[in-house]
Amino acid sequence: MPSHVVYDIDYDREVDQGLLAPEQFDYWFLCEGDSWMDRSSLTQMSLPWSLARSFRGQRGNRALFVNLSHFGDTLRHIGDCLNDVFHQWVTTPLPFRFDALLLSAGGNDFIDAALDPPPGQGLLRDVHGAGPDLQPDDCFDPAALSLLVDQYLDPNFGKLYDTVRASPFCGAMPILLNLYATPVARYAPVLPGGKTWLSAAYAKNGIPPALWPAVTQRLFVDVEAVVTDWSEVAGRTGVFTVPTSSVPLVPADPGAAGSSGDWLNEIHPNKSGWARLATAWQASLDAVL
């Protein structure tokens, strides 16, 4: 049986119908998080499927990826649901033990904090009418960033970490964290005529298009710093970052409204992008398995 990805809602059905024999795999991974673990669009899947196609391991080449992720999910929402499906998967006796948790979370929290609030009331300042000396750092509200990190992101990752470590079955499994990759802010929605994320947030707050690349770079530097900090808290063990931010993805054309370079839409890679990122995940898994 080749490597396989199964959503948690399909697991029992596939087992009952004889389509899935979990004990026949060499590795077992639990996937949780946002669209980087779920799907890039309505028709294209994301990281686990790309990694399954190319997966290799010292015990063999077959890996089962049990996917709990949801497009658009935030770490705050994941933290609120830890006593539900996630808790069941890490505390229920299974015919195998998970070798690692693959987690992509935090990116949507940042994007929502920039996009959802009214102008000037979220992560971004309202800079309509600012002069020509406006700098990328001027577009961010440090207090809003501290609130996002201290009140929501750090506590909810702590809850997730504690839930994993309390498991009697897979409490020692490594936790691998996605560091994302820096996209290009542009009008490239999931569906034609739909909404974008970064470019919409920037336009709403009056950020000049000339500053969009630098503001995006700054935003994802902050994302990377926060996620990296989760792996460095004293007393935490087995938490590792996957250096996806260093993978040389081909940037999208700022004027392209669809797939361009290694990007399917504004914030999600396409198949070639996922293939490049899967290589980084494979290397990180090789280091901890």
Side-chain angles (χ1 to χ4, degrees):
M1 181 176 292
S3 293
H4 182 63
V5 184
V6 59
Y7 280 110
D8 63 295
I9 60 173
D10 296 323
Y11 177 87
D12 287 338
R13 176 183 58 79
E14 291 196 14
V15 170
D16 291 344
Q17 294 179 356
L19 303 174
L20 178 64
E23 66 279 2
Q24 294 183 9
F25 291 90
D26 304 299
Y27 297 88
W28 301 270
F29 300 116
L30 187 63
C31 304
E32 176 62 284
D34 52 31
S35 53
W36 278 52
M37 283 292 170
D38 183 9
R39 57 181 67 239
S40 299
S41 70
L42 297 178
T43 59
Q44 182 174 302
M45 301 305 188
S46 295
L47 175 81
W49 286 266
S50 184
L51 186 54
R53 283 195 294 269
S54 61
F55 184 80
R56 63 184 186 279
Q58 295 179 353
R59 298 202 304 262
N61 295 323
R62 298 171 300 175
L64 176 64
F65 298 82
V66 178
N67 201 339
L68 313 184
S69 61
H70 293 279
F71 188 97
D73 228 351
T74 61
L75 182 57
R76 181 179 182 181
H77 181 258
I78 293 169
D80 290 341
C81 298
L82 286 177
N83 290 327
D84 193 8
V85 176
F86 185 88
H87 185 267
Q88 294 174 21
W89 276 102
V90 298
T91 58
T92 300
L94 297 166
F96 57 86
R97 293 191 178 189
F98 287 114
D99 290 289
L101 168 64
L102 314 186
L103 176 68
S104 177
N108 279 344
D109 298 81
F110 269 82
I111 291 173
D112 287 357
L115 177 62
D116 291 348
Q121 296 185 29
L123 189 59
L124 298 176
R125 288 178 168 144
D126 185 350
V127 295
H128 282 92
D133 295 330
L134 183 71
Q135 299 297 312
D137 285 352
D138 300 332
C139 302
F140 289 88
D141 183 347
L145 175 61
S146 295
L147 179 67
L148 174 65
V149 174
D150 297 340
Q151 297 284 327
Y152 300 106
L153 293 178
D154 287 354
N156 280 297
F157 180 77
K159 288 167 59 178
L160 183 145
Y161 174 85
D162 291 342
T163 299
V164 171
R165 293 294 174 252
S167 168
F169 307 108
C170 52
M173 68 175 172
I175 301 172
L176 278 69
L177 306 176
N178 182 32
L179 290 185
Y180 298 92
T182 304
V184 173
R186 58 192 178 109
Y187 181 72
V190 170
L191 296 174
K195 296 181 179 180
T196 57
W197 303 268
L198 300 174
S199 57
Y202 299 163
K204 180 170 67 175
N205 286 278
I207 299 173
L211 284 184
W212 288 7
V215 170
T216 302
Q217 182 68 39
R218 157 67 196 275
L219 178 68
F220 279 84
V221 165
D222 286 345
V223 172
E224 180 175 355
V226 170
V227 175
T228 299
D229 283 347
W230 297 340
S231 69
E232 298 176 349
V233 171
R236 284 186 186 156
T237 59
V239 183
F240 307 93
T241 56
V242 181
T244 50
S245 58
S246 299
V247 175
L249 297 185
V250 178
D253 179 343
S259 185
S260 177
D262 281 330
W263 296 86
L264 181 66
N265 49 52
E266 190 185 36
I267 63 171
H268 301 107
N270 55 25
K271 290 181 180 180
S272 63
W274 289 125
R276 296 179 195 271
L277 292 164
T279 300
W281 280 86
Q282 180 69 65
S284 293
L285 286 170
D286 289 344
V288 302
L289 294 177

